[in-house]
Amino acid sequence: MAQPIPEVVILRLPLYLRTLSRLAEKNIEVVSSRELGNHLQFTPAQIRKDLSYFGRFGKQGRGYDVKHLLAELKGILGLDRSWPMALIGVGQLGRAILSYRGFATEGFQIVAAFDSDPAKIGKRYGKLTIQDVAELNKTVAEQGIAIAIVAVPPSQAQQVINTLVASGVKAILNYVPITARLPKGVWLRDVDPTLALQTLTYHLKLGDTQA
Amino acid sequence: MAQPIPEVVILRLPLYLRTLSRLAEKNIEVVSSRELGNHLQFTPAQIRKDLSYFGRFGKQGRGYDVKHLLAELKGILGLDRSWPMALIGVGQLGRAILSYRGFATEGFQIVAAFDSDPAKIGKRYGKLTIQDVAELNKTVAEQGIAIAIVAVPPSQAQQVINTLVASGVKAILNYVPITARLPKGVWLRDVDPTLALQTLTYHLKLGDTQA
DNA sequence: GCCTGTGAATGATTTCACAGCA
DNA sequence: TGCTGTGAAATCATTCACAGGC
């Protein structure tokens, strides 16, 4: 323990969380690393090793208490609270993100939306009034926003990200197909279905049979 | 050469493609691995090694011809053609995917949309008429569809994926938060912004400074 | 007997470092 | 000189295998 935790491990924790939630819904109380591995298509050893970075959650001879592990993982990931988020860019994609219900159920809530188009500023979508990007600083500070979602045109994205960073945002969910530059201490994940498709076609072309 | 190509390498190729496209738009004709690495925040050695799996595209002392490398990568990834796709699930998320413009510009086109809700079947969205999932087999065969996008409720997702596989689809872009089971020879990529957010909060909680 | 937690071993990926060519 | 392509070395991630507890 007290070792540096590999980023790949962090990337898997939400998958564990998701599967454990399903098990909890089915009132399954205990799960072994082998069973969890079956659901996730990971090896039992990997699951045990991953969890061992954070503590000793299992019981020998039995496995893991589903509810308890669920609570522990939520704590580890910082999901035992809600996270207010800002959305930048209320074009077609931005509006789809605004009306997406998947975030709220996990404690992520878009509490402010911004655009630079004067025709959009002041308009309402649901409970939100679209604000001028110029107000970003103030709103981020007032609402304690640490996470922003970026859905602006590619040509504006880096500048918007710079502004977000300057305003104190520490994490960005980026829907724009660019390679963003970031200072240390700010985290970013890309969402890009086109990139995913482009890796699929490689295998289709080959008629590749290893899954 | 003729070595098995690591999957991580395939995952990076579309990023190279994207950056090369931007360079080509700026009429930049030649790029070195160091410059390309600067744009992508990768090491030059990684770029050279990755490309070396597929051939020798560079010129010593100069670097890579942007247009030529772009064409080679498109060929390698199977992007020198267009790919008709089917969308399964025309709920809120599915409709957002239907109206998303990002796919078409890269040669991916949704040519058929399916749902199981009788109230939706027969309705038109743009140029598409929503079909009954029962027609999937026929349409996939007729239109030569190898790629499907899944955007149904979680409870239906695995069954829909089974149906797709049975109909001959070889690649799936999955927007549903499940761990799908697949036979060999079928490829899947997940799109799940919530998972991405859940890994970001881990770092926020820590006030983590290494980027 | 069953299953966890974990060092050690294996395997995969990245980076180094340099020969060779323009 | 400048940069590629590539074996070898270094680093990182996964899996093994087993001691120890329920």
Side-chain angles (χ1 to χ4, degrees), chain A residues 86-104:
Chain A
L87 170 72
I88 326 298
V90 194
Q92 186 157 82
L93 177 59
R95 287 193 299 274
I97 293 167
L98 270 182
S99 56
Y100 177 59
R101 269 136 179 119
F103 291 140

Side-chain angles (χ1 to χ4, degrees), chain A residues 27-174:
Chain A
N27 295 312
I28 291 165
E29 294 186 356
V30 175
V31 70
S32 68
S33 60
R34 187 177 40 75
E35 292 163 334
L36 198 48
N38 274 344
H39 287 283
L40 286 159
Q41 307 180 241
F42 295 155
T43 66
Q46 180 161 75
I47 290 171
R48 295 202 301 277
K49 175 68 101 180
D50 282 358
L51 295 177
S52 78
Y53 284 102
F54 302 96
R56 296 136 69 96
F57 306 119
K59 287 214 188 352
Q60 282 136 325
R62 263 172 78 67
Y64 301 88
D65 180 275
V66 172
K67 275 191 194 155
H68 177 242
L69 184 53
L70 204 47
E72 290 280 0
L73 286 176
K74 282 188 182 176
I76 291 162
L77 287 168
L79 299 171
D80 46 5
R81 50 162 287 189
S82 75
W83 291 91
M85 304 190 296
L87 170 72
I88 326 298
V90 194
Q92 186 157 82
L93 177 59
R95 287 193 299 274
I97 293 167
L98 270 182
S99 56
Y100 177 59
R101 269 136 179 119
F103 291 140
T105 58
E106 308 294 332
F108 296 101
Q109 211 175 351
I110 298 173
V111 299
F114 298 86
D115 207 294
S116 61
D117 178 355
K120 287 182 188 147
I121 294 163
K123 274 200 174 184
R124 293 187 69 86
Y125 282 99
K127 287 176 185 159
L128 297 181
T129 302
I130 299 180
Q131 296 175 259
D132 191 320
V133 177
E135 295 175 42
L136 215 131
N137 246 290
K138 205 182 68 160
T139 306
V140 165
E142 279 176 7
Q143 308 230 34
I145 293 168
I147 306 174
I149 301 176
V150 179
V152 300
S155 60
Q156 297 173 33
Q158 182 62 58
Q159 198 207 305
V160 162
I161 287 169
N162 296 346
T163 307
L164 284 167
V165 170
S167 78
V169 161
K170 294 291 181 219
I172 293 169
L173 189 66
N174 174 43

